[in-house]
Amino acid sequence: MKIALGQLSLHWEDKEANLKKVRTCLALLASRQVSLFLLPEMSLTGFSMHTDKTKEVHRETVQKVGELARQYQTAIGVGWVKDLGALCENHYSILAPEGELLDYAKLHPFRYAGEHQYFQGGTSLPVCICEDFVIGVQICYDLRFPEPFQKLSKEADLIVVPANWPAKRREHWQCLLKARAIENMSYIAGVNCAGWMDGQEYSGDSGLYAPDGAVLTPEVLPLDGCANEQILIYSLANDVCQYRNAFPVKEDRREDLYRIL
């Protein structure tokens, strides 16, 4: 399977400008037979808590990006904000030409930045199938909590982590992506934004990590924005079972014990 990570410099709270950028990326990828194109968290707005500007009742982002998935015949992962009334949810959907494969709501609002005042946490861990991979999602701050990754990795071969992760904590981002790959023996795809938004710098540092923690080498397509704005393309075979059979760490997990400690 070919996977592309869109490390984009997002236009702050401008859905139409970012949707135009997504179209440009898909046109660049059209000849490369990419099966799955992944975008950062809150893909068409950047990480904003101005929910009056970002929230959606009728899933407009899902509808528009779903049309692009059909037009370009590739699955697309996109982040958006769901209006629930008093609070919202931070969502990420994977949309294929044939329809929606997955819709996930971020489990852990980022209390440090006040996200919990505008967003409630999700309550489920959906997975989907794309070609020969079972895929799960965790969003940005979720990366700091290992338990859902262990739960997902019972089914998922690939866990996607879309983010708006700031440059000042880039070492945490890279370290935790690698750790989640190693401890779950799953592929981990971290896709972050790049450049500046709302006074915050984002360094990108997107990447695909193998089940042994190795950072895979992509084909890089530079874009016309900031220096770190680019698309990273990977060709991936599902060899998760081989990794796990060769080094069967998961067989030694004591989940019954963990629940009572």
Side-chain angles (χ1 to χ4, degrees), residues 41-42 47-49 51 54-55 80-92 103-111 114-124 139 141-142:
E41 175 188 21
M42 293 192 191
F47 181 74
S48 171
M49 289 183 287
T51 53
T54 63
K55 65 185 179 182
W80 58 286
V81 174
K82 184 176 184 178
D83 183 6
L84 296 175
L87 293 173
C88 294
E89 283 180 335
N90 184 343
H91 277 245
Y92 198 83
D103 181 37
Y104 166 72
K106 183 177 180 181
L107 297 185
H108 305 95
F110 187 29
R111 183 178 298 272
E115 189 178 359
H116 66 293
Q117 298 176 46
Y118 304 93
F119 294 86
Q120 69 181 35
T123 57
S124 65
I139 298 175
Y141 187 52
D142 286 338

Side-chain angles (χ1 to χ4, degrees), residues 10-224:
L10 299 174
H11 298 280
W12 177 242
E13 297 179 347
D14 190 338
K15 293 183 182 180
E16 287 306 314
N18 288 311
L19 189 62
K20 182 179 179 181
K21 181 171 288 198
V22 172
R23 286 195 192 98
T24 298
C25 292
L26 288 165
L28 287 173
L29 293 171
S31 63
R32 287 176 164 82
Q33 298 181 316
V34 167
S35 302
L36 178 61
F37 179 42
L38 299 170
L39 298 166
E41 175 188 21
M42 293 192 191
S43 310
L44 302 187
T45 63
F47 181 74
S48 171
M49 289 183 287
H50 300 149
T51 53
D52 56 319
K53 298 180 180 180
T54 63
K55 65 185 179 182
E56 300 177 0
V57 176
H58 302 295
R59 296 161 52 95
E60 294 90 344
T61 292
V62 169
Q63 293 177 35
K64 290 178 180 179
V65 175
E67 291 171 4
L68 293 177
R70 290 188 290 276
Q71 179 182 348
Y72 287 94
Q73 287 297 296
T74 186
I76 306 170
V78 64
W80 58 286
V81 174
K82 184 176 184 178
D83 183 6
L84 296 175
L87 293 173
C88 294
E89 283 180 335
N90 184 343
H91 277 245
Y92 198 83
S93 299
I94 298 179
L95 310 167
E98 63 270 22
E100 184 174 279
L101 300 182
L102 176 150
D103 181 37
Y104 166 72
K106 183 177 180 181
L107 297 185
H108 305 95
F110 187 29
R111 183 178 298 272
Y112 178 80
E115 189 178 359
H116 66 293
Q117 298 176 46
Y118 304 93
F119 294 86
Q120 69 181 35
T123 57
S124 65
L125 291 171
V127 296
C128 68
I129 297 174
C130 187
E131 293 196 0
D132 59 343
F133 279 84
V134 178
I135 300 174
V137 175
Q138 294 283 274
I139 298 175
C140 200
Y141 187 52
D142 286 338
L143 182 61
R144 293 185 179 272
F145 301 90
E147 294 87 352
F149 283 83
Q150 284 291 343
K151 178 70 172 177
L152 277 173
S153 69
K154 292 181 179 179
E155 298 180 80
D157 313 300
L158 168 65
I159 302 174
V160 177
V161 188
N164 280 201
W165 197 286
K168 62 187 176 184
R169 290 189 287 275
R170 64 184 301 194
E171 290 83 3
H172 294 191
W173 166 252
Q174 294 168 314
C175 178
L176 290 170
L177 288 171
K178 189 179 186 74
R180 296 293 168 263
I182 294 169
E183 67 196 10
N184 292 285
M185 305 194 83
S186 297
Y187 283 95
I188 304 289
V191 54
N192 194 21
C193 56
W196 287 84
M197 283 188 294
D198 193 36
Q200 184 83 260
E201 183 185 8
Y202 299 90
S203 58
D205 300 308
S206 302
L208 186 59
Y209 294 74
D212 62 355
V215 184
L216 303 184
T217 301
E219 174 191 357
V220 178
L221 293 183
L223 298 174
D224 293 333

